[in-house]
Amino acid sequence: MVFTALAIAVAGVTADTRLIKLDPVPFTQVTISDQFWSPRRDKNRKVSLPHSLDSLGKAGNIKDFELAAEGAHTGYMGPVFMDSDLYKTLEAISYSLATDPDPVLEKKVDAIIAKIAAAQREDGYLDTYYEVNEPDKRFTNLAWNHELYCAGHLFEAAVAHYEATGKKTLLNIATRYADLLCKTFGNGPGQRMGYPGHPEIELALVKLWKATGNQDYFRLAKFFIDSRGSGFFAKEENKTYVPEEWTYNQDNLPIRQQTQIVGHAVRAGYLMSGVVDVARESNDEGLLTMVNRVWKDTVTKKMFVTGGIGPSASNEGFTVDYDLPNLTAYQETCASVAMAMWNYRLALLYGDGKYADVMERVLYNGVLAGYSLDGTKYFYVNPLASGGGHHRQGWFSCACCPPNEARTLAQLGGYAYATSPDALWVNLFIQGSVKCQIGQAPVKMDVKTAYPWDGNVSMTLHPAKSTPFGLMLRIPGWCSDYSVSVNGHKSSAPKQENGYVGINGTWKEGDQVTLSLKMDVRPIQANPQVSDDLGKIAYMRGPLVYCAEQVDAKAPLGSIAVPYGASFKVTREPQLLGGVVTLTTQGLSADNQRWPGGLYSEAVQPDRTDIKLIPYYAWDNREAGPMEVWIPTSPASPVISGLEREAKVEMSFVNWNSQPKGANDGHEPKSSGEQPAQCAHWWDHKGTQEWIQYEWPKAVTTDRVQVYWFDDTGRGECRIPQSWKLEFDDKGTWRTIDADYPVKIDSWCDVRFKPIATTRLRLTVQMQKGWASGVQQWRVWPVEE
């Protein structure tokens, strides 16, 4: 057997552009039988998909189709994009049926498709929001009302269902609607301008074209992409076109002029996926140049260490370069799915491992974290740090993420392999098998591996007959060293080319190739321009990002540090979190460091403490508590605090992400707008009178308090209060403390008064009308001697 860089057929657009155009191996030709993905896929099929159908039924998604079929004009339930969540679920179920036939589930799908068919208008139109609520306003609000987005998910579901079952029931619905869209949009006679505010239909139309052979669908996908950035949305709203006002929808520049990824993260990821699909078929140099420029901008300036994208909650998307916060990271699950889709397409287009590296990173971290180990709860938002109040939910009013998780897991095998005319390409290392055609030769390959816990991958080939072809093995970017052996004979492999090592030879039944990837614990630093990560390290092993959870820590998580260069013990724990590899080391804790007062003080040695890290995807599956991905390399400075640190904290109202102990955790605010790890706020109560109180086991004496208010203007609904006051418990009676109570933003509100002795002190707040309030810190000082 010969190790060589294979001579790959290249379709070039320009001299410096290599278009390999690999063909994906369908997920139906891939069997997954490992201990990592198989349990999750089984849970997806047996738990998540039934849970999704039940949740869709309760939320009204199916009822909306019944209303549309009845011609009703009242009773619609949910947001404008309700149809899309049902379509994505049908797509996921179809993938599941293709690999694991289930007559009962298929019968349920048939019944739902019948309801969808009944709701379709005579001319092919299908959107329950408009049919029920505004039947005379179809295609009048393309920027915001998701008609074409919903249509795209219908087309994807229809193709999946047809390919899984051979039935055309849903495909016929899709093609009728697609035919209407082809008649409606375009540059020809009787057609009009328009494209989707939320991209998705572009990639779906390419799928529909490939499934049906109808070239009109591809032409429409190309029209939508070519038209983007023409200012249509402003014209639709009778506004002057100001490009920067339409960044959210990626309509700020003509598509080929885009230089960076902008706007809503999911929209951007779906758009780039559709662009790659169209450019692959058309060899469009302008689109290819643009998409590579935008990809580089994304992965070098705007991608989280988990592979996810989109830092901001206010626009569910991008802000400025290197804005990659931890606690407030939005990193929507759907955006991670979109990153996987986009990079998967680029990996096929170029045969370059750097794209498959990103795809792997986001699948194992950003995507996988999106749902719970029991398959019934989901993250919409995926922060990289938590004060303990962020948890997965059973469903959402905007339920785009759960079915996106489901469809990704159901077709996971499709991400793993590809073929060129003379080679089989291995992109992901998953135990199981793959069947494919290389040239005219059928080939099966069995794979045995404990990846991602272990870097050894054994591949046994079963060609139908002795066959010459290449085996292209991806060497992940995280791997510092590797070796390859054939039939037990270790050979010095050539240098990788574009992230792959090629083994070229004539293969016979039972030939075995073993790839060994060195899998070290790797400390990761962020670019210094990522301010949140200065002085911090994240840890990876293989493709997995790790994190610390409070449940595993003896010291408060916010007080711990892992010095640079720390060595880790790698331990396989089969009973923990479905079976994981943990990383443990001895770190430092500054929990004992409290400033004693005065200008200078003798330094206090930090405590040593054991620190355990678990894979990021598995966090929030045990006892609730804080979590951190980026861990300081040195302990925090001593905190300034008073009597409050010994107090028990209560609040008049606490919702799912409010943490009362945030008021006295010693955090030193930099501004009211800073998002602390723990925040004591009263959202979503607005305009009401609320309180927070401290209680001590025995009476304390104080004559001064300081309050620093929380205000998340620009991203949330907390503002400084209208007014506030202090009350103390005087033998069971609450008495107001006579003082002046300033209300200031971005600074301490300092209040002094006559000394009082009490076991309970209450801060009572009158919130502004229409707004909530919160407390960054509330300090209570003892009377100075």
Side-chain angles (χ1 to χ4, degrees), residues 43 75 98 107 115 136-137 165 182 197 212 257 262 285 370-372 387 398 412 529 543 628 675 688 692 721-722 727:
K43 194 78 70 174
K107 188 174 181 180
K115 292 181 180 183
D136 58 339
K137 293 186 178 181
T165 67
C182 289
T212 64
Q257 295 179 23
V262 297
E285 182 178 349
Y371 89 131
S372 63
C398 173
L412 180 72
Q529 295 178 82
E628 289 183 355
Q675 184 71 48
T688 56
I692 181 172
Q722 178 179 312
E727 298 175 289

Side-chain angles (χ1 to χ4, degrees), residues 276-321:
V276 176
D277 283 347
V278 168
R280 175 183 172 116
E281 303 302 328
S282 62
N283 291 334
D284 190 310
E285 182 178 349
L287 289 179
L288 290 168
T289 300
M290 179 278 297
V291 82
N292 280 284
R293 186 169 61 228
V294 170
W295 181 86
K296 183 177 180 181
D297 172 74
T298 305
V299 300
T300 61
K301 300 176 182 178
K302 292 166 183 164
M303 183 179 75
F304 289 100
V305 68
T306 54
I309 53 174
S312 172
S314 63
N315 67 341
E316 295 189 316
F318 301 100
T319 52
V320 296
D321 292 350

Side-chain angles (χ1 to χ4, degrees), residues 754-773:
K754 292 180 180 180
I756 58 103
T758 187
T759 57
R760 292 196 295 170
L761 189 64
R762 179 175 288 183
L763 189 158
T764 301
V765 173
Q766 177 59 54
M767 300 190 294
Q768 296 184 48
K769 184 178 180 180
W771 300 104
S773 294

Side-chain angles (χ1 to χ4, degrees), residues 546-699:
Y546 277 73
C547 70
E549 274 197 295
Q550 185 62 64
V551 66
D552 296 314
K554 296 176 182 177
L557 203 60
S559 74
I560 68 170
V562 176
Y564 185 82
S567 60
F568 284 84
K569 180 181 179 182
V570 178
T571 306
R572 186 69 186 269
E573 298 194 43
Q575 304 307 313
L576 179 65
L577 296 165
V580 297
V581 165
T582 60
L583 312 178
T584 53
T585 190
Q586 189 170 77
L588 301 174
S589 167
D591 189 42
N592 64 345
Q593 298 205 40
R594 190 172 304 170
W595 190 248
L599 183 58
Y600 301 104
S601 174
E602 185 175 342
V604 179
Q605 179 69 27
D607 293 331
R608 295 194 175 276
T609 186
D610 291 334
I611 295 172
K612 176 187 281 191
L613 306 183
I614 65 165
Y616 171 75
Y617 74 77
W619 84 276
D620 194 44
N621 279 284
R622 298 174 291 170
E623 178 184 327
M627 177 277 295
E628 289 183 355
V629 168
W630 291 92
I631 301 173
T633 56
S634 60
S637 300
V639 298
I640 297 175
S641 63
L643 300 168
E644 74 280 354
R645 288 300 293 270
E646 310 303 328
K648 174 185 175 183
V649 192
E650 291 186 46
M651 296 179 70
S652 56
F653 168 75
V654 175
N655 80 347
W656 60 272
N657 72 343
S658 178
Q659 298 95 29
K661 60 185 178 182
N664 69 339
D665 64 2
H667 168 71
E668 185 68 31
K670 297 181 179 66
S671 69
S672 293
E674 179 186 9
Q675 184 71 48
Q678 303 178 97
C679 187
H681 62 75
W682 292 280
W683 183 85
D684 54 353
H685 285 194
K686 302 174 187 176
T688 56
Q689 186 178 88
E690 305 290 346
W691 54 260
I692 181 172
Q693 75 177 35
Y694 289 153
E695 182 174 359
W696 292 269
K698 60 181 181 179

